[in-house]
Amino acid sequence: MQFWDYVILVTYLSAMVTIGLLLQRRASKGIDSYFLGNRKLPWWVLGASGMASNLDVTGTMINTAWIFALGATGFFIEIRGGVALILAFLMIFMGKWNRRARVMTLAEWMTFRFGKGREGDSARILAAVSSIVMTIAMITYFAVGSGIFIGELLGIPSFWAASIMIVLAMIYTVASGLYGEGTVVFEVEILE
């Protein structure tokens, strides 16, 4: 990498953390502000935010590997059976569902859907266990993938590269909540 590559990388990462810290005031008004953007974000921003939460460098590397190994067939495999359909579903439908249901957490969603009886309790427990397992899997997936990518890019050990990315993501997320995520998605859409 050349000098300007490092400048661009540091500028981008600094901008992401700065946006998170600037939006911290909005997000800290209450739990609705942190998790749901004070319920003032339009449904399409919620949907785009949910979709953007699932985009990462590791998935991009996997897609590139498919295309490298299989050519155009690898691209079609990913579009048909991979994450692309799930992301489109999240973007189109989940924002509206979350807005209409007026729930904040998966546990509230299970209560809304199955009630407060035995079925609702079972659904909440199953959702909590699956959320813990999936969160651990996703953080591991993110850490390994970003560690390999950033480690190769910067020429540092992948463990330290993953640690840097986790710390930056943690600062950004803890500081701004959905306000920051929705704002970044909105800014990206404007730029495109």
Side-chain angles (χ1 to χ4, degrees):
M1 285 184 34
Q2 303 298 318
F3 171 76
W4 288 109
D5 297 322
Y6 287 110
V7 169
I8 291 169
L9 183 64
V10 168
T11 302
Y12 173 76
L13 294 174
S14 299
M16 293 301 294
V17 171
T18 302
I19 289 170
L21 293 173
L22 289 174
L23 293 170
Q24 183 178 14
R25 182 178 296 154
R26 279 192 200 173
S28 63
K29 289 180 181 175
I31 196 161
D32 270 359
S33 294
Y34 180 80
F35 285 109
L36 301 174
N38 209 22
R39 298 189 190 266
K40 291 182 180 177
L41 296 173
W43 69 267
W44 59 270
V45 172
L46 292 175
S49 176
M51 185 224 34
S53 296
N54 292 291
L55 295 175
D56 62 274
V57 71
T58 309
T60 304
M61 290 189 317
I62 290 171
N63 293 340
T64 305
W66 275 106
I67 294 168
F68 179 78
L70 301 173
T73 304
F75 176 73
F76 294 126
I77 289 170
E78 177 57 30
I79 292 297
R80 184 174 152 245
V83 83
L85 292 175
I86 296 166
L87 294 180
F89 179 79
L90 285 172
M91 187 168 148
I92 295 169
F93 296 109
M94 290 305 291
K96 283 190 177 187
W97 286 350
N98 287 336
R99 171 75 69 215
R100 289 178 182 168
R102 295 252 181 237
V103 297
M104 187 178 327
T105 64
L106 186 56
E108 288 176 337
W109 182 261
M110 291 299 152
T111 301
F112 176 77
R113 172 65 178 89
F114 297 107
K116 294 184 180 184
R118 191 179 70 180
E119 294 84 5
D121 290 341
S122 298
R124 282 194 307 279
I125 290 169
L126 184 60
V129 169
S130 66
S131 291
I132 290 169
V133 169
M134 285 303 296
T135 300
I136 292 169
M138 287 188 300
I139 289 172
T140 304
Y141 174 80
F142 166 76
V144 170
S146 66
I148 292 170
F149 182 78
I150 300 296
E152 288 292 323
L153 190 68
L154 299 178
I156 60 176
S158 60
F159 172 79
W160 293 114
S163 300
I164 291 168
M165 294 304 293
I166 289 170
V167 167
L168 289 173
M170 184 178 62
I171 291 169
Y172 179 81
T173 303
V174 168
S176 66
L178 195 54
Y179 269 118
E181 193 172 325
T183 302
V184 170
V185 168
F186 184 68
E187 288 174 359
V188 168
E189 287 180 0
I190 287 175
L191 293 175
E192 291 176 353

